[in-house]
């Protein structure tokens, strides 16, 4: 364990411009002082006993700080770092990409100034034995610091085109070329840096889009770039730059890029997990690394627990998810509205430690490829990690893959091992509920509960134009006043995919969705009920899950009561028991056309029993709002 810092290390680094590009750095040990968080990063002052410089750890080192490996007043060895300028101030700072803790936490800051003055008063300690100077390399070594200096060597930041020019003109092996190149990892970039060159793969390419605003017309497109460590960033190009680089950027190829600029990412439009976004102009340099050894970027995930998905509903931000596969549906064909093309779709249900489940829709090749793999191994409950999912409001919360989505089955990650261990030990025995239960489609403020957007039934029935353009959602408290006993209350459904089945010619049931014949089927509700409140009444449609909550039994059980004889009609009794009970409903209002006439359709999306405490708080809030309005 080391107990001291490298003397004069910081001043030597700051005074030697060739130090940052040196392939063989001496050991530098500094003390961490004034460690504090800034966003998802940590800043500190690097102390060598005499000099201090501001420094920042990259986000990849945050877990080591949280775990306590790196602590305030502790010693660290700098393994990989860059020296950057703060443009607004004539100062420099260290950006630490990689380091290791080498000593325990000290009681106070290290100060070698007093020791230096004491040595200056002793003539014997002033004598320094200089090592012989090499006439070839002109290298000097400072015995006090042990740091090798190259005084006449100057470091010049190389652009992408300069690197490529040197590469073409030099027949040296790739390994030797890599030693002379200073390629920055994406995680080290920030808006205050000067010259940099990155080596990245294009992992997604957008289409060229035209725009028109108050400043005029133009065109824009963007690409998503990923480096070898799996860090991503979005690069955007406008007008001349867009036309210049649109054909040059090819999906899947690797490029050297330089002379770009960075700024804080706009959360409304960003599609990757990065605090910054890159802008390339017509003077930026982009060169394909065709003769270099290619790399496959590591996929980095930022998982969101299933129970927190409601916050992302209908937002532009994409999310990553990890879960245990509960079920996999057969492939379905969906007709796309834009061009009437039939595209494959497959639904998988995932669960995690929050004891919630969610349905993920796989589209196109993911449905037919990886989706089929999951269907074949569904009985083994594999763990699936999916990157870049869109969160929608179908059935409360639903997830869909997009073109850039990436699915990994049984990933080798700590999160996957922890989740699999939990499921094998206790998760498979636990009854789980859907994240969409009791949750409605949402707006920009996140998921809605049963106690938001509360309206009376008259608000819905007196506005026949509600839901003309798209469905609208409300919550309402009402009594079930009537359930028509002779209606078609259920349909025969496939036990695998819940789709309607037909009776086979010989025996059993045929499922068009699964393209299979089954010996048995189940019944699922499609029930209409009349609801009433103080302002009026209306009919609402209720499907299986919501109808079971209203009636308190499954469709199969109700069918048995219906078929039983006896003096007392148990079927009628069961329906009457459900009437004149108060519920809180979450409903969608849409317009359907029937025989050329538009009709309002109200569908139950969620149903819950009255929570009297919550209802009281809601009433008190209404009273308070009315009092404020009257004042």
């Amino acid at each position: 364990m080391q107990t001291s810092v490298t003397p004069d290390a910081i001043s030597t680094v700051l005074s030697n411009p060739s130090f940052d590009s040196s392939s063989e750095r001496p050991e530098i040990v500094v003390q961490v002082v004034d460690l504090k968080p800034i966003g998802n990063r940590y800043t500190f002052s690097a102390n060598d006993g005499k000099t201090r410089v501001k420094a920042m750890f990259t986000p990849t080192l945050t877990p080591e700080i949280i775990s306590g490996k790196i602590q305030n007043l502790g010693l660290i060895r700098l393994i990989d770092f860059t020296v950057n300028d703060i443009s607004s101030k004539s100062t420099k700072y260290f950006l630490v990409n990689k380091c290791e803790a080498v000593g325990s936490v000290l009681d106070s800051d290290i100060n070698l100034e007093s020791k230096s003055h004491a040595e200056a008063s002793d003539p014997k300690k002033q004598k320094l034995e200089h090592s012989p100077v090499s006439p070839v390399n002109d290298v000097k070594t400072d015995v006090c610091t042990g740091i090798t200096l190259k005084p006449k060597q100057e470091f010049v930041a190389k652009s992408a085109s300069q690197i490529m020019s040197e590469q073409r003109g030099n027949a040296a092996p790739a390994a030797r070329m890599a030693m002379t190149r200073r390629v920055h990892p994406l995680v080290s970039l920030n808006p205050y840096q000067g010259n940099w060159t990155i080596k990245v793969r294009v992992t997604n390419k957008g289409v060229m889009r035209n725009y028109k605003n108050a400043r005029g017309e133009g065109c824009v497109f963007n690409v998503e770039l990923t480096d070898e460590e799996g860090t991503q960033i979005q690069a955007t190009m406008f007008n001349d730059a867009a036309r210049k680089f649109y054909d040059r950027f090819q999906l899947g190829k690797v490029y050297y890029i330089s002379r770009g600029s960075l700024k804080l990412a706009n959360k409304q439009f960003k599609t990757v997990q990065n605090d910054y976004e890159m802008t390339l102009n017509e003077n930026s340099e982009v060169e394909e690394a065709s003769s270099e050894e290619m790399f496959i970027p590591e996929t980095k995930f930022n998982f969101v627990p299933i129970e927190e998905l409601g916050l992302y509903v209908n937002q532009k931000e994409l999310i990553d998810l990890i879960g245990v596969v509960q079920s996999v549906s057969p492939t379905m064909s969906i007709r796309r509205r834009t061009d009437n093309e039939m595209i494959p779709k497959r639904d998988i249900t995932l669960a995690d430690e929050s004891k919630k489940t969610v349905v993920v829709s796989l589209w196109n090749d993911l449905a037919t490829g990886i989706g089929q793999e999951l269907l074949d191994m569904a009985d083994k409950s594999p763990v699936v990690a999916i990157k870049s999912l869109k969160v929608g409001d179908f059935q409360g919360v639903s997830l869909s893959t997009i073109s850039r989505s990436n699915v990994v089955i049984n990933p080798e990650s700590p999160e996957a091992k922890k989740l699999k261990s939990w499921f094998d030990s206790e998760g498979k025995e636990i009854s789980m509920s859907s994240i969409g239960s009791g949750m409605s489609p949402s707006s920009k403020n996140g998921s809605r509960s049963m106690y938001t957007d509360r309206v009376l039934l008259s608000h819905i029935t007196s506005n026949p134009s509600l839901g003309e353009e798209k469905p609208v959602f409300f919550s309402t408290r009402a009594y079930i006043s009537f359930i028509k006993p002779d209606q078609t209350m259920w349909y025969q459904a496939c036990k695998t995919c819940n789709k309607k089945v037909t009776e086979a010619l010989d025996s059993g049931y045929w499922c068009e969705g699964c393209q299979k014949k089954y010996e048995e089927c189940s019944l699922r509700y499609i029930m209409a009920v009349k609801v009433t409140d103080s302002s009026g009444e209306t009919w609402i449609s209720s499907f299986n899950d919501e109808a079971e909550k209203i009636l308190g039994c499954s469709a199969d059980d109700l069918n048995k009561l219906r078929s039983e004889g006896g003096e007392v009609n148990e079927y009628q009794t069961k329906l009457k028991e459900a009437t004149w009970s108060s519920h809180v409903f979450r409903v969608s209002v849409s317009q359907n056309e029937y025989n050329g006439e538009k009709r309002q359709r109200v569908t139950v999306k969620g149903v819950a029993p009255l929570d009297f405490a919550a209802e009281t708080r809601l009433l008190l809030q209404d009273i308070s709002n009315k009092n404020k309005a009257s004042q």
Side-chain angles (χ1 to χ4, degrees):
M1 228 13 136
Q2 194 146 344
T3 58
S4 187
V5 296
T6 305
D8 295 324
I10 294 175
S11 58
T12 305
V13 170
L14 296 178
S15 63
N16 183 22
S18 67
F19 190 89
D20 187 51
S21 62
S22 174
S23 59
E24 295 183 2
R25 295 177 173 177
E27 179 180 286
I28 295 180
V29 176
V30 296
Q31 185 186 30
V32 177
V33 180
D34 298 329
L35 180 66
K36 57 184 177 180
I38 301 292
N40 65 338
R41 305 180 183 219
Y42 280 79
T43 62
F44 69 102
S45 294
N47 175 32
D48 68 359
K50 293 183 179 180
T51 307
R52 291 191 185 188
V53 66
K54 291 185 179 296
M56 177 183 291
F57 290 113
T58 57
T60 55
L61 294 172
T62 299
E64 295 195 30
I65 299 171
I66 295 174
S67 65
K69 291 183 179 179
I70 299 175
Q71 298 185 51
N72 192 46
L73 299 181
L75 302 181
I76 59 171
R77 179 183 293 110
L78 302 181
I79 299 174
D80 182 18
F81 68 97
T82 54
V83 182
N84 297 325
D85 294 314
I86 300 178
S87 55
S88 59
K89 305 175 183 178
S90 300
T91 57
K92 296 180 181 290
Y93 74 97
F94 288 1
L95 184 66
V96 181
N97 303 312
K98 189 176 182 181
C99 68
E100 61 177 351
V102 295
S104 57
V105 177
L106 304 180
D107 295 332
S108 60
D109 300 0
I110 296 177
N111 188 349
L112 302 180
E113 288 289 341
S114 56
K115 182 178 178 181
S116 298
H117 290 310
E119 290 179 351
S121 62
D122 190 343
K124 293 182 180 180
K125 292 184 179 179
Q126 292 181 22
K127 293 182 180 180
L128 301 178
E129 296 179 1
H130 294 280
S131 58
V133 178
S134 169
V136 179
N137 298 322
D138 194 23
V139 175
K140 295 181 180 180
T141 301
D142 190 330
V143 177
C144 292
T145 63
I147 297 178
T148 303
L149 304 180
K150 298 179 181 180
K152 294 187 178 181
Q153 182 179 352
E154 294 184 0
F155 171 68
V156 179
K158 297 180 181 180
S159 67
S161 61
Q162 288 173 316
I163 292 174
M164 296 305 298
S165 176
E166 291 179 6
Q167 181 177 333
R168 295 190 187 101
N170 193 334
R176 190 184 305 170
M177 291 300 298
M179 292 176 61
T180 62
R181 182 182 300 120
R182 181 59 180 167
V183 174
H184 289 70
L186 285 178
V187 73
S188 70
L189 299 186
N190 62 76
Y192 308 109
Q193 272 178 280
N195 293 327
W196 46 258
T197 297
I198 58 174
K199 181 182 178 183
V200 288
R201 181 185 290 273
V202 178
T203 48
N204 189 60
K205 179 181 177 181
V207 298
M208 183 78 79
R209 307 188 308 275
N210 295 317
Y211 66 88
K212 184 177 181 180
N213 55 30
R215 291 180 291 180
E217 300 180 0
C219 58
V220 60
F221 92 100
N222 54 57
V223 291
E224 291 175 11
L225 308 173
T226 308
D227 67 6
E228 197 164 7
E229 297 177 354
T231 306
Q232 292 184 299
I233 195 169
Q234 179 176 292
T236 304
M237 289 139 278
F238 294 90
N239 303 323
D240 291 343
R243 289 184 282 269
K244 177 180 178 180
F245 294 123
Y246 185 77
D247 293 329
R248 188 173 304 180
F249 277 120
Q250 298 297 319
L251 189 65
K253 291 189 175 181
V254 178
Y255 298 87
Y256 287 108
I257 301 176
S258 62
R259 297 189 179 181
S261 61
L262 275 81
K263 63 178 182 179
L264 284 173
N266 187 334
K267 292 184 178 181
Q268 185 178 358
F269 301 109
K270 75 173 186 176
T271 57
V272 299
Q273 294 295 329
N274 199 312
D275 293 336
Y276 302 115
E277 60 182 89
M278 184 181 297
T279 302
L280 301 179
N281 57 39
E282 57 271 22
N283 297 320
S284 300
E285 296 185 352
V286 177
E287 292 284 344
E288 183 182 350
S290 54
S291 59
E292 286 278 333
E293 181 181 353
M294 297 298 102
F295 63 86
I296 300 176
E298 174 191 354
T299 302
K300 287 190 174 182
F301 295 94
N302 185 22
F303 296 121
V304 175
I306 292 178
E307 65 181 355
E308 297 179 11
L309 289 176
L311 300 174
Y312 299 87
V313 173
N314 289 341
Q315 302 295 304
K316 292 189 177 182
E317 185 176 356
L318 302 176
I319 64 100
D320 303 338
L321 185 76
I322 188 169
V324 180
V325 175
Q326 299 288 282
S327 64
V328 182
S329 77
T331 304
M332 299 166 275
S333 293
I334 305 296
R335 189 179 299 277
R336 189 159 50 195
R337 292 182 181 178
T338 55
D339 54 9
N340 284 329
E341 181 183 351
M342 299 297 291
I343 54 176
K345 173 195 174 188
R346 189 191 301 266
D347 289 338
I348 62 173
T349 302
L350 302 181
D352 68 4
E353 290 171 288
S354 63
K355 302 176 185 178
K356 296 288 185 180
T357 63
V358 68
V359 175
V360 181
S361 297
L362 306 179
W363 295 89
N364 297 310
D365 293 341
L366 289 177
T368 56
I370 287 181
Q372 185 60 44
E373 287 183 46
L374 291 173
L375 182 62
D376 295 339
M377 59 192 304
D379 57 330
K380 299 178 182 177
S381 300
V383 174
V384 173
I386 309 178
K387 186 169 186 64
S388 300
L389 285 168
K390 185 178 180 181
V391 187
D393 59 15
F394 181 68
Q395 293 182 345
V397 177
S398 61
L399 302 176
S400 293
T401 59
I402 58 176
S403 59
R404 68 173 69 93
S405 298
N406 185 21
V407 181
V408 182
I409 301 175
N410 290 325
E412 292 292 331
S413 66
E415 296 92 344
K417 293 177 181 177
K418 180 183 177 184
L419 183 60
K420 185 63 175 174
S421 175
W422 165 81
F423 184 78
D424 290 341
S425 62
E426 58 176 297
K428 58 186 177 183
E429 306 295 338
I430 295 176
S431 176
M432 303 190 194
S433 60
S434 170
I435 179 62
S437 300
M439 187 179 292
S440 75
S442 64
S443 64
K444 294 181 180 180
N445 294 327
S447 61
R448 302 283 185 175
S449 73
M450 292 290 189
Y451 296 92
T452 56
D453 301 331
R454 179 66 68 86
V455 298
L456 295 172
L457 290 178
S458 60
H459 177 80
I460 299 174
T461 56
S462 63
N463 291 278
S465 62
L466 278 177
E468 272 190 349
E469 296 181 358
K470 62 179 182 179
V472 291
F473 301 88
F474 301 103
S475 296
T476 187
R477 178 167 63 89
Y479 290 91
I480 297 172
S481 56
F482 182 61
I483 303 175
K484 196 175 181 180
D486 57 349
Q487 65 175 304
T488 302
M489 297 191 65
W490 48 69
Y491 69 95
Q492 293 176 326
C494 172
K495 288 187 173 182
T496 302
C497 67
N498 296 330
K499 290 188 175 295
K500 186 177 181 180
V501 297
T502 56
E503 293 185 6
L505 293 177
D506 47 0
S507 64
Y509 303 88
W510 173 257
C511 177
E512 192 67 30
C514 299
Q515 291 291 303
K516 286 183 180 181
K517 178 185 173 184
Y518 296 97
E519 293 301 320
E520 296 179 345
C521 69
S522 62
L523 300 180
R524 292 179 66 84
Y525 285 114
I526 46 168
M527 183 175 68
V529 300
K530 182 184 283 188
V531 293
T532 305
D533 69 3
S534 59
S535 67
E537 61 183 16
T538 190
W539 286 91
I540 61 176
S541 299
S542 178
F543 294 97
N544 191 69
D545 293 347
E546 290 73 27
E548 284 185 352
K549 293 178 182 178
I550 292 171
L551 295 174
C553 66
S554 67
D556 288 307
D557 294 338
L558 191 62
N559 183 48
K560 290 178 183 178
L561 295 178
R562 191 176 194 176
S563 59
E564 291 176 357
E567 295 182 2
V568 180
N569 192 326
E570 296 292 341
Y571 170 72
Q572 295 272 12
T573 303
K574 192 68 176 176
L575 296 184
K576 287 182 179 179
E577 288 177 355
T579 57
W580 300 113
S581 57
S582 184
H583 299 272
V584 179
F585 298 96
R586 187 70 184 173
V587 298
S588 69
V589 183
S590 60
Q591 297 284 338
N592 284 358
E593 190 168 326
Y594 182 75
N595 289 337
E597 181 184 352
K598 283 189 176 181
R599 293 184 178 181
Q600 195 177 67
R601 181 181 176 88
V602 184
T603 305
V604 180
K605 294 296 183 180
V607 60
L610 277 186
D611 182 338
F612 291 100
E615 288 293 325
T616 302
R617 286 193 294 269
L618 186 65
L619 290 172
L620 290 172
Q621 184 63 42
D622 285 344
I623 294 171
S624 175
N625 292 338
K626 288 179 181 179
N627 288 337
K628 289 179 181 178
S630 62
Q631 291 176 356

